[in-house]
Amino acid sequence: MIRQFLPQKFCSNNFSRFTQKRAHFLTFGLSLLFVSEFASAWTFSPDPICRVTEKQQLIEIDLTYDHATEIYAIAFTKTEAPWAQSQEFSIRFEGPRPKLIRTNRHQFSADGFTLTASDTGFGNVLDGLQYNTLAALQTGDERIFIQIHKSFPAIEAFRKCVDAIRI
């Protein structure tokens, strides 16, 4: 079949090795395409309020700044089970600028799947998200890790949105 049209060096065993290498390369390329297609993407939106959203396998993140109330909020919605109820919530950022933030002013949604922390200042949270690679969210004994290494452009746009509104 195809062998008769190929140079001699691709025939017999060489042909099968050539075909295997091409198949592996093709498989690798398709897997990269598949992974990048479904990889997380931090998304910024300026309307109607400054917002960054992110969906990961076990959690959805929604960061907002509402210029009418001048309140920042970050909501973490679990997709499989409610949060462990706790009096304290912490975020530990890991990477070039590690940071630990704790609060007792967080709230749980009625169904327990969403945890929201809000405040009039979010500089430490924004720095943690923008300049690190991993965040560990903790309530009680429950800890969830989220990838944040791709958040830089969205957080940068979020900061510019907030700055433009405040002027």
Side-chain angles (χ1 to χ4, degrees), residues 29-41 150:
L30 288 174
S31 66
L32 282 179
L33 180 63
F34 179 79
V35 168
S36 65
E37 183 69 26
F38 293 99
S40 63
K150 294 182 180 180

Side-chain angles (χ1 to χ4, degrees), residues 22-145:
R22 273 185 91 186
H24 288 296
F25 180 77
L26 219 70
T27 303
F28 177 72
L30 288 174
S31 66
L32 282 179
L33 180 63
F34 179 79
V35 168
S36 65
E37 183 69 26
F38 293 99
S40 63
W42 291 76
T43 307
F44 166 74
S45 171
D47 233 1
I49 61 175
C50 302
R51 171 174 266 138
V52 172
T53 57
E54 161 68 346
K55 289 184 181 183
Q56 296 188 7
Q57 186 175 4
L58 300 175
I59 198 160
E60 296 177 10
I61 301 128
D62 189 13
L63 170 67
T64 59
Y65 175 76
D66 186 343
H67 63 278
T69 61
E70 297 185 349
I71 298 287
Y72 291 89
I74 190 163
F76 301 99
T77 303
K78 291 177 59 181
T79 57
E80 295 184 356
W83 283 96
Q85 301 289 311
S86 174
Q87 295 298 315
E88 185 175 273
F89 168 64
S90 67
I91 305 175
R92 187 181 77 241
F93 295 103
E94 298 175 7
R97 296 186 188 178
K99 186 177 298 284
L100 175 65
I101 302 170
R102 291 186 179 137
T103 185
N104 61 1
R105 294 185 288 161
H106 60 290
Q107 299 173 346
F108 295 98
S109 62
D111 64 3
F113 279 83
T114 301
L115 181 153
T116 304
S118 57
D119 204 340
T120 55
F122 249 46
N124 287 334
V125 174
L126 296 177
D127 286 349
L129 288 169
Q130 189 169 7
Y131 299 114
N132 290 291
T133 56
L134 186 72
L137 313 175
Q138 185 163 353
T139 60
D141 293 335
E142 179 179 29
R143 185 176 296 163
I144 295 178
F145 294 90

